Amino acid sequence: ETGVTQTPRHLVMGMTNKKSLKCEQHLGHNAMYWYKQSAKKPLELMFVYNFKEQTENNSVPSRFSPECPNSSHLFLHLHTLQPEDSALYLCASSQDQTGGGRAYGYTFGSGTRLTVV
Amino acid sequence: AQSVTQLGSHVSVSEGALVLLRCNYSSSVPPYLFWYVQYPNQGLQLLLKYTSAATLVKGINGFEAEFKKSETSFHLTKPSAHMSDAAEYFCAVSDVSDKVIFGPGTSLSVIP
């Protein structure tokens, strides 16, 4: 148990489907992150939320839509994805995004393995 | 701009041998430095971190890393490799910009 729970663990979806990834943490953290991990590529930061406000969007295509209803929950809504979007999607949390918060490091979930067919 | 390089995308060691995974960073200010480990089909787990206290940092599972400012390095070591150490290892750096940059990762194989 890592403290950050991601569901589902595996997801297969067609290019016309709509699905959502869920991330939940009860660590009292105030910053949450979505990362994409593709084979043979470095970790790609997608979105950052700090105290429920989106603070970063790293030029992510609009077919990925994040939602952060509170500091404990983070969603990634997916629609009309492409096969190249197949990857491991990792959620992480930290105390906060700034100052001392970044010194504590991140707690990651186990990820959602997404396959787009 | 800060960056992280990890020399060697793949490292193989024999069981019981020394593990040395290299990490070099660039940062305009004293950084915070981290090592994470990722086991197959899992997320990343924090192994250890340097936050401007002792330069030799001890982490979980017998790993340690030494911050060397003059060499801008933060190499990860373990005296004796175990089969269970086989995983992907990521070095990361964070500075006052609040961005955390991850290195490309080093895959460690342990040969029985």
Side-chain angles (χ1 to χ4, degrees), chain B:
Chain B
Q2 55 186 346
S3 65
V4 179
T5 56
Q6 292 182 240
L7 185 62
S9 60
H10 188 87
V11 170
S12 291
V13 300
S14 297
E15 190 174 17
L18 171 71
V19 176
L20 171 60
L21 303 181
R22 299 178 186 275
C23 173
N24 288 88
Y25 69 92
S26 67
S27 176
S28 57
V29 297
Y32 295 153
L33 294 158
F34 308 86
W35 275 100
Y36 288 85
V37 60
Q38 184 179 30
Y39 299 103
N41 299 313
Q42 295 293 319
L44 281 69
Q45 179 184 0
L46 183 65
L47 264 182
L48 50 79
K49 60 188 178 190
Y50 167 76
T51 56
S52 74
T55 57
L56 183 63
V57 181
K58 294 188 184 298
I60 62 173
N61 302 337
F63 284 92
E64 62 181 36
E66 186 173 8
F67 171 66
K68 292 187 176 181
K69 184 178 178 181
S70 61
E71 299 178 8
T72 61
S73 68
F74 191 56
H75 302 329
L76 182 70
T77 59
K78 182 174 180 177
S80 177
H82 192 272
M83 296 298 293
S84 60
D85 294 327
E88 189 89 14
Y89 291 81
F90 295 90
C91 183
V93 62
S94 173
D95 66 14
V96 292
S97 71
D98 297 325
K99 290 187 182 293
V100 175
I101 304 298
F102 286 87
T106 296
S107 177
L108 175 66
S109 297
V110 181
I111 304 165

Side-chain angles (χ1 to χ4, degrees), chain A residues 23 31-35 45-50 56 74 90-98 101-102 106-107, chain B residues 98 100:
Chain A
C23 177
M32 297 188 77
Y33 311 80
W34 279 118
Y35 279 88
L45 178 63
M46 301 174 72
F47 301 104
V48 182
Y49 279 82
N50 198 41
E56 277 195 56
L74 184 65
L90 292 167
C91 173
S93 69
S94 66
Q95 187 174 1
D96 60 57
Q97 189 186 1
T98 62
R102 60 182 175 84
Y106 292 172
T107 302
Chain B
D98 297 325
V100 175

